[in-house]
Amino acid sequence: EIKGQRLLLSAFGDLPSALREKIRLVIVGAPAPGCESDSRYEAALRRDAMRLGLDGQIIWCGYQTDLGPLYESMDVLVHPALAEAMCIVILEALNKGIPVIAANTGGIPEVVRDGVNGLLVSMEDSKALTRGLKLFLEKPEVRDTLRSGAHRGVDRRFSIQAFSSSI
């Protein structure tokens, strides 16, 4: 629940069908081995996707050790976490020039600059997330601005090198 996948499914399902049919949602991650609650959550997500008529538009990737090929296929990273101090996947995406749509929570606003390299949306608000997705998908000038900002990379304080050297 904390990563906001249900919120994302709801927001994705609320997009106009003509727009939704042009895109694919890639969900990365898998239940922890032997964790029954994780397995139930994944099953619930898949049921939600079917109920919303999204199952054919979602690619369930499971656990991945190398996200490189996935980043290469992305136009935007959506991260609607309900609570997140800092997220490595956001740093990696920005470092690869991929704009981010994320919840305005925790340390995320320190890295994702609204309207510059991504869009920040209200936490736990699927309608706000839908509006952010629509803005990105329907407005080429917004996409171009955010891509340009993302291509400038992350603030040096949040670079992968800075994180690794502080460990």
Side-chain angles (χ1 to χ4, degrees):
E1 290 287 334
I2 200 162
K3 294 293 183 184
Q5 295 103 328
R6 279 197 154 142
L7 188 77
L8 177 57
L9 290 179
S10 177
F12 190 62
D14 285 344
L15 289 170
S17 61
L19 185 59
R20 191 176 62 233
E21 290 168 4
K22 296 178 184 178
I23 57 178
R24 294 295 172 262
L25 180 63
V26 177
I27 296 181
V28 179
C35 182
E36 191 60 36
S37 64
D38 279 3
S39 295
R40 283 193 305 272
Y41 182 67
E42 180 186 34
L45 285 176
R46 289 177 182 266
R47 280 192 306 273
D48 287 351
M50 290 186 87
R51 180 180 50 78
L52 292 166
L54 305 174
D55 47 315
Q57 293 168 274
I58 298 176
I59 301 166
W60 303 89
C61 290
Y63 175 76
Q64 300 291 308
T65 57
D66 178 12
L67 296 177
L70 293 173
Y71 286 128
E72 290 173 15
S73 71
M74 285 182 201
D75 291 314
V76 64
L77 173 80
V78 182
H79 197 279
L82 307 180
E84 191 82 57
M86 183 54 64
C87 180
I88 297 297
V89 73
I90 289 175
L91 295 173
E92 289 175 342
L94 290 172
N95 197 45
K96 294 188 178 295
I98 301 166
V100 174
I101 300 174
N104 191 358
T105 184
I108 292 172
E110 293 182 50
V111 178
V112 178
R113 295 181 316 274
D114 192 40
V116 176
N117 61 359
L119 299 172
L120 293 171
V121 298
S122 299
M123 203 174 70
E124 297 186 56
D125 184 348
S126 68
K127 300 298 182 200
L129 184 54
T130 300
R131 286 190 301 274
L133 288 166
K134 280 183 70 176
L135 181 65
F136 183 85
L137 296 167
E138 292 180 335
K139 304 284 185 189
E141 65 277 10
V142 170
R143 271 194 313 277
D144 293 343
T145 297
L146 299 179
R147 284 182 182 141
S148 176
H151 277 292
R152 287 187 222 120
V154 293
D155 181 318
R156 279 182 257 207
R157 296 174 299 153
F158 303 108
S159 71
I160 301 300
Q161 294 78 16
F163 269 113
S164 355
S165 67
S166 67
I167 296 177

